[in-house]
Amino acid sequence: MLQVSGFIPRSLIVAGLSWMFSAQADGIYSPGGWPTLHQDAGNRRAVDVRVLNRNYQRWHRLSGATVLTVPTTSPDGQTIYATTALGANNSNLHAYSINGDLLWQSSPWQNANDSVDPCAFLSSPIIDTVGDIYISDCNQLFAFKPDGVVKWVIELPAVQAEDWRAAGDHPVNALTTAAFTAEGDILGVTNFGDVIIVDRQTGDILNQPYRLPGLIPPYSTIQPLPDSLFGNGMMDPNFREWAWQLIFGGNMRSANTPAVAASGRLFVVGSGSRKGMGALYGLDLVAGEQSLTITEAFITEIGLGSGSSPALSPAEHQAYVSDEEGWLYGINTEAGSIDWKVQTKATAGAAGVGSDGTVYALQAYAPAVVAVSPAGAILWQSDFSVLAKRLPSSWLLGEPVAVGNGNPTITADAILVPVIYGYEVSLFGRRFAVPVDSTVAAIDKATGKAMADIVSLPDDSSGITAVLADGTIVSSLGAATTSALSPLKFIVDRLLPGELTMLSAVGGVQVAIPQ
């Protein structure tokens, strides 16, 4: 059955370093369960929480808006923060109680210089230990207090002459989720490669200007921008092209979230200095009398595709990145040498890393998830042949398929991955998977066999699944697949077997609370 679907110079890390991110342990990140896009400073997306054999009660909010980055949580785990890309006169940062009550929203935006604009939707808010919230939009970085009061706002580095004007007159040089440094400041890498270090108390920029030295990559043509993508008001249409290029790593130097090691070294994936190549940058912060200087510890060339956020091994001796050709790399974090690389079908997206060092990556046009050992050997590719039989065979469309629809999350007893079930259809010279059902599914860690659908989703996720300390599952509903295919729904519904219909684009956020 086919599954279709990517401050001082650093010293050696001491043996026995905990695999859980040290920044949270040191009291910088919120302890509320999911304080940043990939859960920890090393971008590992691994939690010691069990999810199997539990019953869940679900709620759904922000219907009608695409939510592509996972919501994050307050220190007590009782508030979640989600971002959207709604047009002028709408809010794009939303705070909900864990039970679904709207607590507050950012003020509606009108222009590039007031409130949170649509670029926020490709950035998860990061939360510190006292509950303050930090979020970028197209050209500003905001700090909010837990009650929604603005703490400070600063301008991000300006677009330069060589940079693409992504949204007409609206300046765009956004962060793709910030991070906290080992010292507790805010680290941001803009679309065009400007690296900033910001005092989280005052908003002061602490470093001398630094821009990644890579070339601006070409406009991505891996997938043409569907006319209906995020349509019908799901996002401001003026920012669709910017979002599409960011997702595929086109026209911008950096499209990912940096990782931060306990030693203080920063890891950023971006475009390389040679045409058609990407790079992993190892950066150090060196303190001077007046400011910080960013120095390059190493620049390691990889294939093109800067959308892969680097993930660190439990001991932080390796960083894992993938490129758009499916190569998955294990790179030495001290020297920058490539310890290994293995050919997979991994997307240029962030891998997850378990506490035993196993690396898990989403794949495209292949089994949904691939597991790779810390030494670079493929352990398994996922098998959804049993779960896909929830749908009937079709004499016209054949056997049902399972499609990985978001990056994997590692829990204590399973690998969770958003999946859409449906059928392959060929129309107008193109072949694609039609989504009929959407779930968060559990995969056996040892074998790769899909074990169970944990919770149903009302739309495709297109994102990351957060798992909180009590087992609550938080899902972004990006609606990328459903909105892109929506013009074909009338035709496709008549091809599907029985009374099955294609999923509609609804977007929003779903929270599933264990009972």
Side-chain angles (χ1 to χ4, degrees):
M1 197 270 322
L2 178 66
Q3 303 164 69
V4 187
S5 354
F7 299 93
I8 58 174
R10 182 177 186 264
S11 61
L12 290 173
I13 298 171
V14 296
L17 180 69
S18 170
W19 72 278
M20 288 301 289
F21 63 103
S22 60
Q24 182 170 317
D26 291 341
I28 300 171
Y29 279 98
S30 160
W34 207 275
T36 184
L37 177 62
H38 298 290
Q39 204 276 330
D40 70 4
N43 292 339
R44 300 179 186 96
R45 294 196 309 279
V47 294
D48 189 21
V49 179
R50 295 187 174 275
V51 295
L52 296 177
N53 302 314
R54 306 182 75 169
N55 296 316
Y56 291 88
Q57 181 175 337
R58 297 170 291 158
W59 57 261
H60 176 213
R61 299 291 185 272
L62 293 172
S63 180
T66 180
V67 179
L68 271 179
T69 56
V70 70
T72 50
T73 54
S74 62
D76 62 3
Q78 295 302 299
T79 304
I80 67 167
Y81 304 98
T83 54
T84 53
L86 299 173
N89 302 313
N90 287 284
S91 301
N92 284 312
L93 174 63
H94 315 267
Y96 286 92
S97 76
I98 198 65
N99 295 314
D101 299 318
L102 180 63
L103 302 177
W104 57 265
Q105 301 179 101
S106 57
S107 58
W109 74 282
Q110 303 290 335
N111 57 61
N113 300 314
D114 53 12
S115 191
V116 181
D117 67 30
C119 289
F121 96 119
L122 283 179
S123 187
S124 287
I126 63 170
I127 320 298
D128 69 16
T129 189
V130 299
D132 289 348
I133 304 118
Y134 307 89
I135 182 67
S136 155
D137 70 359
C138 291
N139 62 314
Q140 299 177 101
L141 178 63
F142 295 80
F144 290 89
K145 302 299 289 184
D147 59 1
V149 173
V150 176
K151 178 179 170 182
W152 50 255
V153 186
I154 64 168
E155 293 290 320
L156 293 173
V159 176
Q160 299 184 17
E162 64 180 350
D163 300 336
W164 176 45
R165 266 52 177 179
D169 293 334
H170 195 109
V172 177
N173 193 19
L175 310 181
T176 310
T177 303
F180 293 130
T181 69
E183 297 293 327
D185 298 310
I186 300 167
L187 161 66
V189 182
T190 71
N191 298 160
F192 295 105
D194 300 295
V195 181
I196 58 171
I197 309 297
V198 179
D199 186 302
R200 80 178 198 270
Q201 300 304 325
T202 65
D204 294 333
I205 294 179
L206 303 177
N207 65 295
Q208 298 177 18
Y210 173 84
R211 177 171 270 208
L212 299 176
L215 301 173
I216 294 180
Y219 190 95
S220 177
T221 57
I222 296 173
Q223 294 281 351
L225 173 61
D227 292 339
S228 59
L229 183 78
F230 308 140
N232 296 321
M234 298 193 80
M235 74 169 292
D236 188 320
N238 295 315
F239 298 88
R240 289 192 326 125
E241 186 178 19
W242 162 78
W244 194 245
Q245 287 299 303
L246 190 72
I247 290 168
F248 287 101
N251 254 15
M252 290 168 272
R253 286 189 178 88
S254 180
N256 68 83
T257 302
V260 179
S263 65
R265 179 161 288 179
L266 319 176
F267 301 91
V268 179
V269 175
S271 57
S273 59
R274 285 201 303 149
K275 185 177 179 180
M277 302 302 292
L280 175 67
Y281 295 84
L283 305 175
D284 290 328
L285 302 178
V286 180
E289 291 185 5
Q290 301 296 326
S291 62
L292 297 172
T293 299
I294 296 173
T295 63
E296 296 161 1
F298 63 80
I299 303 175
T300 301
E301 192 172 80
I302 61 174
L304 189 64
S306 65
S308 171
S309 296
L312 301 182
S313 65
E316 301 191 341
H317 70 296
Q318 285 183 332
Y320 306 112
V321 297
S322 57
D323 63 30
E324 65 185 30
E325 294 184 345
W327 287 102
L328 181 65
Y329 300 80
I331 297 175
N332 184 284
T333 55
E334 183 65 27
S337 55
I338 296 176
D339 290 342
W340 52 262
K341 71 175 189 176
V342 61
Q343 181 70 69
T344 69
K345 294 292 186 181
T347 60
V353 185
S355 59
D356 64 352
T358 302
V359 184
Y360 303 92
L362 177 70
Q363 297 195 121
Y365 305 105
V369 176
V370 61
V372 178
S373 76
I378 293 179
L379 301 175
W380 49 254
Q381 297 185 82
S382 59
D383 178 4
F384 273 83
S385 57
V386 174
L387 291 190
K389 291 178 180 177
R390 61 189 290 149
L391 299 180
S393 298
S394 165
W395 67 269
L396 179 62
L397 303 177
E399 296 298 315
V401 298
V403 180
N405 188 235
N407 291 323
T409 296
I410 301 96
T411 72
D413 54 358
I415 307 300
L416 292 187
V417 63
V419 171
I420 53 177
Y421 297 100
Y423 299 88
E424 280 201 318
V425 173
S426 292
L427 284 175
F428 312 117
R430 298 192 61 191
R431 191 166 181 82
F432 50 88
V434 171
V436 173
D437 201 1
S438 179
T439 75
V440 175
I443 299 171
D444 186 278
K445 287 183 173 183
T447 66
K449 298 284 187 182
M451 297 184 290
D453 293 308
I454 302 300
V455 293
S456 294
L457 300 176
D459 199 348
D460 74 81
S461 170
S462 305
I464 290 168
T465 304
V467 180
L468 309 187
D470 67 349
T472 293
I473 297 173
V474 182
S475 299
S476 58
L477 301 174
T481 301
T482 52
S483 64
L485 296 178
S486 60
L488 302 177
K489 181 173 169 58
F490 178 82
I491 297 173
V492 168
D493 283 353
R494 281 148 183 80
L495 300 178
L496 292 171
E499 298 183 358
L500 295 178
T501 59
M502 192 177 87
L503 283 174
S504 296
V506 296
V509 172
Q510 177 177 285
V511 174
I513 302 173
Q515 301 301 295

